Structure formats: C-alpha cells, structure tokens
Amino acid sequence: MRKVDCVIVGGGSAGMSCAIAIARFGIRDILIIEKEKELGGILNQCIHHGFGLHIYKKECTGPEYAQLLIESLKKYHIDVKLDTTVINISEGKKVMYVNRYEGVVEVQAKAIVMASGCMEKNRGMISIPGDRCANVLTAGTAQRYLNIDGYMCGKRVFILGSGDIGLIMARRMVLEGAQVLGVAEIMPYSNGLSRNIVQCLEDFNIPLYLKTTVTRIIGRPKLERIELSSVDDNQKPIQGSEWYLDVDCLLLSIGLLPDISLLNKLNVERDSQTKSVSVNEAYEMSLPGFFACGNVLQVHDLVDDVCLEAQACGMAVARYLNEGFHEEEGIPVYAGENVTHVVPQHLRKENMEDDCRFSFRVKKPMRDCILRIRSGDHILREVKKRVMLPAEMEKINLEKRMLTDAQSLIFEVKEDA
C-alpha cells in the first residue's frame, strides 16, 4: 500500500489551490486525484470572460484561469492522477481509486481533502410532470455540449431557474444563433449575480419571469412545448395561470448540491442547510484529518473565493501535518434571523492564529440592514450593510480577541430601524 501525506480528491480550482498552499509549507508527498482527463474542473467549459479579477488582477476565461493554476502547480512536485475515480474512503484515511493504467489501488494518507465540487439539480429532483423526452438538460450539461463537444442543443430555448450558469447559457445560446424565449424563476427575486442579470439578460432583451415555474413538459420523443404557471407565496402553482411556449430545448438552472457521496459511509457531521459537511476554523470535518474546501463545502459565486478558501484550507492542512491541532470542544456557530447558513460551523479558539473568516448567505434580499454577531446577549461585532442578496455570498472576519468569553456565536441580519 502506498503511503502519502495528503490525498486531495478533485483537481479543479479548489484542489489545485489547496495542493499549492500545502506544498508551500514543505509538505512533499501530495496526491491529487481527478476523474477527468485534465485538471481544471468546471473552469474548462466556462469559456466566457470574467474570472481572476480579484486574485490575478486581470480578466481571464475559465480555461485561462485553470492554466494559471496548472502552471503554479508545476512548480512543486505534486503527484496528479488524471482519468482516475475514487471509489472508497475509509475512516482510517485509506483512499481506494481505480484507473485504466493501474487498476484498483489503495493509498494510506495522513490527511484527506475533499475538493470534489458540486453537481446540478436535475428534473427528477424537483419532479416536473409531463413527458419524458429529449432536450431537457441541466445548464451545465448544455454548456459542456456546446463549449467542449461543439453540439448545439436547440434553437428555441427556455431556461428554468436564474442561477448563474443558466444566465450565462442564456447569453451563450443567443450568441450561437438560438432564440432564448425567457428565464423563469420561482422566487420573487433572481438567484444569480447582479452583473449576470445585466450582462446576460438585460443586454440581450431576454425576459425574466419571477414567481413563475414550469409545470408540464410536452413532447415525444423530443421536447415540443412547456407549460408555465405563476406561483403563490408558498411557491405553489396558481390554478388558471397556465400559459404555453413552443420550445425545442429546456435548460435547468435550479441549484447546485455539494458532491459528498464518497463520505456517505463515514460518520461525519452534516449541515442541513449547505447539504454538506460541518467544519471548524481549519476546514476540518468532525473526523480528525478530514478536510473540505471549495464548492463541495458550500456553493460559491466566484472562483476567486473558491481559491482563497482552498488556500486557507491548505495552510490548515499543512499545520495539521507539521504540528497537529489542539483537540478541544469547539464553539458552535449558528445561523440566526434572516441567515441561511454560516461556514465554519464550529470554532476552536486555541487553533486560531489572528482571526477567522466566516461565509454566509441571507434568506431574502435586504436593504439598509445590520449584520450582528453575538454570543448570548453580548454583541461581538456589528456591521451596517446597504444591500444584501441571497445570490451573493457575504464574508466577514472575527478576531480571536473577541472570543475570550464566547460560548456560542449567532449570526443574524435585521433591518436598520
């Protein structure tokens, strides 16, 4: 059995950034396992501009951004297994993988990092009734067909869900000559970044239908028509509000789920809101030596944020391997009023160096509001915000000195009276 210091599952932006950060601290034996034939993950099919503005201070396409990470990775002696699938992870930090060259191989690691990204929700997960026909695709699948394989998915296109991938594909399909008839969003607000609403919909005169959903799919063997309906405040279709569109392609951009299926057999603490694992200030799971970062931990808006989180995780992994952690009971972190979730979910004060960065999202669009972090009735930090949107992840730092007497942390957002 091969023995390594760290196994990283996933060779996208999170996996590469984490590996580079670990290597910078002198850890030599690092193994990245990637199921695709090349590094880069989802970046390879995102050929539009807009990446890298924060980290690289320039505008890149997805493949260009991936190549910058690959070039940085080459500076270190990091072993990479491509076209390789992880088939099992045990609590003893044993990773079993398979590929066409080596067959089945088991690796003993001192630390394991999950950087396996996320997957798209599909039609079955939201139970859209109607015919089971061709050309009902997730937006990411259509993006891969078009940008990598060169296949056009349709000429009269409708998009369900206003997630960023769906918005970007709306623009992409128009640029390739398709007619995009609209985007439907079940919520009363968009779930995409504001810049994508402007650049992908408004600039191309593509209508956005809020509080609207697809209630029936019609067509055999290919999609021919969709039924749309308005929804009430409980997101239930309103009877009598139905209307129809003739389309030959329906793209679904209805959300992402962290891909943590490899952890299903492990006794790790989960977060019901992120649908992923709970972690502490070092991005470590409830099982010592198991870490998570990037979209497998929480779905991010920007790849720069993924890389920054992965770098922080990598530094924590290096510290774990070089020094170890103080194993103490952590301070629980809770999502309070108007907050969906907070990462990390636990905080161990003795393992903090200076401060800890938290990421969270609000439940609804809010203006002129106050973010408050408190322990019981004691307010640790208070920040005024002009606008907070569910589609945009919020980040805030909390200094170690503020946590001296804290027994728990509660994040809450309230309107400024």
Side-chain angles (χ1 to χ4, degrees):
M1 182 186 296
R2 179 181 172 184
K3 295 183 179 180
V4 300
D5 290 322
C6 182
V7 169
I8 299 175
V9 181
S13 55
M16 288 191 283
S17 298
C18 184
I20 292 167
I22 296 171
R24 285 175 178 164
F25 282 83
I27 306 298
R28 298 290 182 184
D29 205 355
I30 304 168
L31 173 63
I32 297 177
I33 303 176
E34 169 57 45
K35 65 181 180 181
E36 299 292 341
K37 291 180 170 60
E38 61 280 315
L39 293 169
I42 196 69
L43 286 171
N44 291 322
Q45 66 187 53
C46 298
I47 64 173
H48 53 278
H49 287 272
F51 300 94
L53 294 172
H54 298 288
I55 291 181
Y56 293 107
K57 308 302 180 185
K58 63 179 181 179
E59 197 172 30
C60 307
T61 65
E64 287 171 342
Y65 195 105
Q67 191 60 39
L68 290 171
L69 288 172
I70 291 170
E71 293 301 321
S72 296
L73 194 72
K74 289 179 180 178
K75 298 176 182 177
Y76 304 94
H77 297 289
I78 297 172
D79 190 11
V80 177
K81 299 287 185 185
L82 298 175
D83 202 12
T84 300
T85 302
V86 176
I87 56 177
N88 190 57
I89 297 176
S90 71
E91 292 189 6
K93 302 189 189 76
K94 292 180 181 178
V95 178
M96 186 178 293
Y97 68 80
V98 62
N99 59 38
R100 61 189 296 186
Y101 311 104
E102 302 170 276
V104 179
V105 179
E106 193 170 40
V107 178
Q108 176 66 64
K110 296 178 183 177
I112 295 174
V113 179
M114 293 299 297
S116 48
C118 53
M119 57 186 178
E120 295 177 284
K121 291 182 180 178
N122 55 42
R123 175 186 177 180
M125 292 179 179
I126 60 171
S127 302
I128 304 176
D131 297 325
R132 185 169 180 172
C133 50
N135 271 23
V136 179
L137 307 168
T138 63
T141 300
Q143 187 181 57
R144 183 178 181 90
Y145 281 155
L146 184 56
N147 294 345
I148 293 182
D149 300 326
Y151 296 125
M152 190 68 172
C153 301
K155 288 294 185 180
R156 288 179 58 84
V157 181
F158 194 85
I159 297 171
L160 176 61
S162 61
D164 287 313
I165 300 177
L167 299 179
I168 289 166
M169 280 305 295
R171 176 181 62 186
R172 185 78 178 95
M173 296 297 282
V174 170
L175 292 174
E176 287 297 325
Q179 181 182 4
V180 178
L181 301 178
V183 175
E185 171 57 54
I186 197 170
M187 302 299 290
Y189 52 82
S190 170
N191 279 308
L193 293 173
S194 299
R195 72 180 190 189
N196 286 333
I197 296 293
V198 174
Q199 296 173 5
C200 300
L201 296 188
E202 294 178 6
D203 288 355
F204 291 88
N205 296 318
I206 299 172
L208 173 63
Y209 303 101
L210 299 176
K211 298 187 73 173
T212 304
T213 191
V214 174
T215 47
R216 184 165 296 278
I217 291 172
I218 304 164
R220 291 185 182 180
K222 294 183 179 180
L223 177 64
E224 299 171 5
R225 208 177 192 201
I226 57 172
E227 177 189 86
L228 297 111
S229 300
S230 300
V231 299
D232 59 23
D233 293 338
N234 296 317
Q235 300 175 15
K236 301 296 183 183
I238 299 172
Q239 190 171 2
S241 66
E242 302 88 355
W243 54 288
Y244 296 87
L245 280 175
D246 293 330
V247 298
D248 62 5
C249 181
L250 175 64
L251 301 186
L252 306 179
S253 181
I254 51 179
L256 302 168
L257 291 174
D259 188 2
I260 56 171
S261 56
L262 286 168
L263 302 177
N264 287 343
K265 296 180 181 179
L266 305 183
N267 184 25
V268 293
E269 185 178 338
R270 306 291 182 93
D271 186 313
S272 60
Q273 292 299 317
T274 63
K275 309 300 182 184
S276 183
V277 294
S278 296
V279 296
N280 57 33
E281 77 296 330
Y283 299 97
E284 185 184 30
M285 304 179 206
S286 55
L287 278 177
F290 286 78
F291 300 80
C293 61
N295 284 341
V296 76
L297 177 60
Q298 55 180 336
V299 178
H300 292 72
D301 312 319
L302 304 174
V303 68
D304 283 339
D305 289 340
V306 169
C307 292
L308 291 173
E309 182 178 277
Q311 289 169 12
C313 177
M315 290 188 284
V317 172
R319 184 180 173 193
Y320 171 81
L321 294 172
N322 287 328
E323 306 169 16
F325 291 142
H326 294 281
E327 296 301 333
E328 58 178 300
E329 186 174 350
I331 300 172
V333 181
Y334 300 108
E337 186 176 349
N338 291 319
V339 176
T340 60
H341 74 273
V342 185
V343 175
Q345 293 89 348
H346 302 278
L347 205 60
R348 299 173 300 182
K349 291 181 286 187
E350 292 300 319
N351 289 308
M352 291 177 59
E353 294 183 349
D354 297 315
D355 57 13
C356 180
R357 168 166 282 202
F358 294 89
S359 303
F360 67 96
R361 291 184 188 270
V362 293
K363 290 183 178 179
K364 61 183 181 180
M366 301 187 70
R367 291 184 177 274
D368 299 321
C369 50
I370 297 176
L371 163 65
R372 188 172 291 128
I373 306 173
R374 61 181 175 87
S375 178
D377 295 328
H378 178 56
I379 298 174
L380 303 179
R381 189 169 181 191
E382 196 172 81
V383 180
K384 290 188 176 182
K385 295 276 190 176
R386 288 195 62 187
V387 179
M388 300 182 81
L389 301 172
E392 299 181 10
M393 183 181 289
E394 299 286 340
K395 295 170 284 293
I396 189 170
N397 286 15
L398 202 62
E399 297 178 13
K400 183 177 180 179
R401 62 178 179 82
M402 298 178 178
L403 302 171
T404 304
D405 300 318
Q407 300 300 313
S408 64
L409 295 179
I410 299 175
F411 283 65
E412 59 189 15
V413 179
K414 296 186 177 182
E415 293 181 354
D416 191 1

